[in-house]
Amino acid sequence: MTKAPILSVDGLRVTFRARGRTVTALRDVGFSLQAGKTLALVGESGSGKSVTSLALLGLLPPNGAVAGGNAFYRSRNGETVDLAGLSARAFRKIRGREIAMIFQEPMSSLNPLFSIGEQIGEMLDLHEDLDAATRRRRIVEMLELVEIPAAASRLSSYPHELSGGMRQRVMIALALVCAPQLLIADEPTTALDVTVQAQILELMRRLQREMGMSILFITHDMGVVAEMADDVAVMYAGAVVEEAGVGELFAAPAHPYTRGLLASIPRPDRPEGERLKAIPGAVPPLFALPRGCAFAPRCSFALPACQRRVLLMEVAARHRAACIRAQEVLADA
Amino acid sequence: MLSSVADPAPAMLKYVLNRLVGMVVVLFLVLTITFVIVRVAPGDPAALMLGPDATPQDAAQLRAELGLDQPILVQFGKFLLSAVQGDLGQSLFFRRPVLSVLAERAEPTTFLALFSLIFSIAIAVPIGIFVAYRRGGLADQGAVSTAMLAASVPSFWTGLVLQRWLATGLGWFPASGYGGPSSTFLDRMGYLILPSIVLGIVNSALILRFTRASMLDVLGEDYIRTARSKGMSEARVVLKHALKNAAIPIVTVVGLTFALLVSGAVVTERVFNIPGMGSLVVGAVLRRDYPIIQGTLIVVAALYILINLLVDLLYLLIDKRVRY
């Protein structure tokens, strides 16, 4: 399936005003998400993954703004919409119906003062015109779809009466009740127990098979990437530094940062006593980024030429990386 | 996992009953303390009633008539006994039952308090919501500093200024009083508009600051982002999802401002010459009319406790997590 992508982001820039100065949170974010597939956006805290997801739905905080780039989204009726320059009014038509989002904290992402039924029902009220019986049936069906036991009796429950895993199921039900084309999942399992995490991931995979939506999956967990993603975009300091199919990326990373990330995953098959390979140094603060490649100061492959601006380049079929020595990194794998 | 919820109704009934029992205890304490305080304060009601020309014999006779010559414990016992039966005694000055004097004065004070509460909520809550939404903007800074100023200016001063400007000057409102014996109810309410505004100003300042702070907290919550991600209008995000969550602190402060209303009414009624409970109690203090002072304080204390109970019950209505 190599149709036109459902979401194609290019050169996305986001800036924040803070205490009179402007900080660039996203410098150059580009990736594309194929219809019906899952793209994982990975990176450390502060790399700009969440900012990217919020920017795509126009949910940036008031001091943040999209300062450049495009995010072309192909809507249900085949029109192409640039999410990077959308008005508040136009975003309201996209949110919930075309693109829905689930968040990291299921504890705080549901409104504590409204029942589950009210919160899911509101989504239907906003986008569809249903009679009371159909509305109720749709809510119950959706709760059953996310495997909430005794769904019909849960409509009048409040979030505080549910466990974290159940709340995340409710969040997923809320996001998917209007059958959006694209689901943005911002670290949906990070706040959950490992066993619950596995259940939620399995649920999302099943729903994707059944409903056919595309997923932009934001995570910092390479294990989750391996389990969920078809394609991966790796972010570092506000830019995408590598984009590839999940198999290609794990087998042969072309960017030294990705390589470092993969090498730092603890694995039971490594020889006993071998130390984990941490990436030396720390992510630079956004207001003090080095010139050129932001990873260069921590990179063992770095050359003086890395101080020039590096763009994402094709390094193999369906594999792009922003590194001047990508071929050598690939060959070294 | 999924927790089941017990039927809250019997638990709530029990809670309300407990609170009412607690109210009796508090009222007893209020009775005792006011009884002691008014008698410890210097001044002799008999001497004040008879004027400077009275002889000590006259005063002694009047004291005996009023029962003030008996030991204080006996006086207290008699007072408690009749209070339990719903009789708050006779006014020393009016020579009439305290309750009937209070009933006469209750109308202007009740409506003064009610109007000023409505006025302050109507002004403060919408502005508080708006400036919290436009945090840091010009309107926000203006509202916050105006509220600071309004809370700092004493109400007798605001009262006099507005009286001179809007009543005497522009003639929009009656300047003072509460109408004559032939005035209709609406006429009398007309006399309360300006005093209600004066009394409401200080409260609105407080309610505004609480509304703003509470809304600011809530607007930063994750579920507000979730609400926005559903594709609803900003008005709906703010007025449905945020306001309900911000309501508990707002309801609390509205309940608390009731105490300010009572003390404020004393001053405002004085400035506008309104024959309410405020001016009644001030007069009673000056005349050492013990039963009136006691009676007023008991009624006000009972009202205050009831309003607090009402606020606590409102919490239940707003937030299903609240359990008593």
Side-chain angles (χ1 to χ4, degrees):
Chain A
M1 284 216 299
T2 44
K3 293 191 294 185
I6 188 158
L7 178 67
S8 173
V9 180
D10 185 39
L12 189 66
R13 262 175 77 82
V14 168
T15 56
F16 283 88
R17 274 176 295 105
R19 291 193 209 91
R21 65 180 176 185
T22 303
V23 173
T24 306
L26 300 186
R27 292 175 296 136
D28 181 13
V29 172
F31 56 80
S32 57
L33 170 54
Q34 305 300 322
K37 301 280 183 185
T38 298
L39 174 81
L41 203 54
V42 275
E44 292 167 71
S45 318
S47 60
K49 317 178 292 279
S50 288
V51 173
T52 305
S53 66
L54 293 175
L56 291 176
L57 266 185
L59 294 174
L60 289 171
N63 64 333
V66 172
N70 309 104
F72 292 113
Y73 166 75
R74 187 160 46 78
S75 75
R76 236 188 257 271
N77 57 17
E79 281 173 45
T80 300
V81 186
D82 185 2
L83 300 175
L86 219 50
S87 70
R89 176 176 288 272
F91 260 127
R92 293 223 301 270
K93 295 214 176 77
I94 297 281
R95 293 176 193 155
R97 178 165 42 183
E98 295 274 354
I99 306 177
M101 189 157 178
I102 56 179
F103 300 96
Q104 181 171 348
E105 282 295 338
M107 299 292 171
S108 54
S109 294
L110 289 167
N111 195 321
L113 301 189
F114 293 97
S115 72
I116 307 305
E118 285 172 308
Q119 297 195 51
I120 298 176
E122 185 182 33
M123 187 72 126
L124 286 169
D125 296 340
L126 286 164
H127 302 293
E128 295 178 37
D129 188 18
L130 304 174
D131 60 86
T134 318
R135 181 179 183 271
R136 190 188 152 84
R137 186 174 48 76
R138 284 275 298 275
I139 302 171
V140 174
E141 276 174 6
M142 197 63 228
L143 287 176
E144 280 165 354
L145 210 54
V146 297
E147 294 159 16
I148 293 208
S153 68
R154 281 288 144 193
L155 294 190
S156 54
S157 296
Y158 284 80
H160 70 275
E161 295 163 5
L162 305 176
S163 66
M166 282 296 153
R167 284 183 225 192
Q168 198 58 294
R169 286 172 195 270
V170 171
M171 263 312 287
I172 294 172
L174 169 65
L176 298 184
V177 72
C178 288
Q181 288 204 101
L182 171 59
L183 176 69
I184 301 179
D186 186 359
E187 307 235 14
T189 58
T190 305
L192 303 173
D193 290 348
V194 181
T195 46
V196 180
Q197 178 172 339
Q199 291 165 9
I200 296 288
L201 293 179
E202 172 52 36
L203 173 70
M204 290 180 70
R205 272 198 306 259
R206 182 170 68 73
L207 290 173
Q208 185 178 31
R209 275 198 309 273
E210 289 171 14
M211 303 178 73
M213 77 257 181
S214 319
I215 301 179
L216 179 62
F217 198 105
I218 288 149
T219 180
H220 64 267
D221 185 335
M222 279 296 187
V224 173
V225 173
E227 206 159 329
M228 292 295 292
D230 298 299
D231 298 298
V232 189
V234 181
M235 286 191 71
Y236 184 80
V240 168
V241 294
E242 182 163 5
E243 187 188 5
V246 69
E248 289 86 344
L249 190 99
F250 275 87
H255 195 285
Y257 175 64
T258 315
R259 188 172 147 133
L261 270 188
L262 292 174
S264 64
I265 303 172
R267 285 163 60 157
D269 57 346
R270 291 254 171 80
E272 204 172 328
E274 191 193 76
R275 290 180 60 106
L276 274 179
K277 292 188 185 68
I279 303 171
V283 183
L286 289 172
F287 51 84
L289 288 182
R291 275 157 44 90
C293 173
F295 187 63
R298 301 171 73 186
C299 180
S300 55
F301 288 83
L303 297 173
C306 292
Q307 290 193 12
R308 269 174 303 198
R309 196 180 134 112
V310 195
L311 296 173
L312 270 180
M313 291 169 296
E314 202 87 21
V315 292
R318 292 186 62 234
H319 195 158
R320 300 193 297 161
C323 178
I324 53 172
R325 299 185 69 187
Q327 294 299 346
E328 291 163 70
V329 182
L330 265 180
D332 193 42
Chain B
M1 280 287 284
L2 304 165
S3 68
S4 66
V5 191
D7 182 19
M12 202 174 121
L13 195 67
K14 197 177 155 209
Y15 170 75
V16 172
L17 286 176
N18 274 336
R19 285 285 297 262
L20 291 177
V21 170
M23 180 171 162
V24 172
V25 176
V26 173
L27 283 181
F28 174 76
L29 291 175
V30 170
L31 275 176
T32 313
I33 293 167
T34 50
F35 188 89
V36 170
I37 286 179
V38 293
R39 278 163 183 78
V40 165
D44 175 9
L48 283 167
M49 281 164 80
L50 291 168
D53 299 333
T55 62
Q57 286 81 2
D58 292 339
Q61 198 191 338
L62 185 58
R63 270 202 296 277
E65 263 175 51
L66 298 173
L68 294 172
D69 58 342
Q70 290 167 324
I72 193 152
L73 274 178
V74 174
Q75 287 187 44
F76 185 56
K78 283 185 166 171
F79 168 62
L80 272 188
L81 207 64
S82 48
V84 170
Q85 292 161 6
D87 177 10
L88 292 174
Q90 293 269 324
S91 160
L92 301 182
F93 177 76
F94 297 101
R95 304 286 182 125
R96 286 199 290 130
V98 168
L99 277 177
S100 88
V101 176
L102 282 178
E104 244 165 52
R105 303 298 197 97
E107 182 192 285
T109 307
T110 310
F111 285 99
L112 178 63
L114 193 68
F115 291 162
S116 69
L117 201 63
I118 293 171
F119 169 79
S120 47
I121 293 172
I123 291 281
V125 172
I127 296 182
I129 294 170
F130 180 77
V131 299
Y133 186 69
R134 294 279 168 83
R135 172 188 203 165
L138 216 59
D140 186 19
Q141 289 166 15
V144 169
S145 34
T146 310
M148 186 89 91
L149 191 71
S152 321
V153 176
S155 58
F156 71 84
W157 188 83
T158 333
L160 290 171
V161 169
L162 290 185
Q163 201 175 37
R164 175 136 181 70
W165 177 33
L166 298 175
T168 331
L170 295 168
W172 291 356
F173 305 101
S176 77
Y178 195 54
S182 59
S183 302
T184 64
F185 178 72
L186 273 181
D187 282 340
R188 295 201 297 274
M189 295 302 112
Y191 282 93
L192 293 180
I193 297 176
L194 195 54
S196 301
I197 294 173
V198 170
L199 187 50
I201 283 177
V202 175
N203 289 353
S204 13
L206 200 69
I207 297 174
L208 190 150
R209 292 178 66 92
F210 265 81
T211 306
R212 177 182 176 274
S214 181
M215 282 298 282
L216 278 180
D217 276 352
V218 169
L219 285 171
E221 293 285 346
D222 288 348
Y223 52 78
I224 296 301
R225 191 180 52 191
T226 306
R228 287 206 171 97
S229 79
K230 287 162 88 171
M232 67 187 76
S233 68
E234 282 296 287
R236 185 166 176 151
V237 170
V238 173
L239 296 179
K240 182 177 172 189
H241 287 262
L243 185 57
K244 192 170 182 189
N245 278 281
I248 282 192
I250 299 174
V251 168
T252 309
V253 76
V254 168
L256 287 174
T257 56
F258 180 76
L260 288 180
L261 281 182
V262 171
S263 54
V266 172
V267 177
T268 312
E269 286 177 7
R270 207 76 181 161
V271 171
F272 288 92
N273 196 21
I274 294 165
M277 286 169 67
S279 44
L280 176 70
V281 80
V282 173
V285 168
L286 294 175
R287 290 191 285 262
R288 299 293 183 274
D289 195 344
Y290 301 153
I292 291 282
I293 304 175
Q294 287 158 189
T296 316
L297 286 174
I298 291 161
V299 169
V300 168
L303 261 178
Y304 192 58
I305 297 168
L306 283 178
I307 284 182
N308 268 308
L309 179 60
L310 194 71
V311 166
D312 286 347
L313 293 181
L314 269 176
Y315 292 167
L316 280 178
L317 211 65
I318 296 170
D319 192 341
K320 295 290 185 286
R321 288 169 299 180
V322 178
R323 285 264 176 277
Y324 293 128

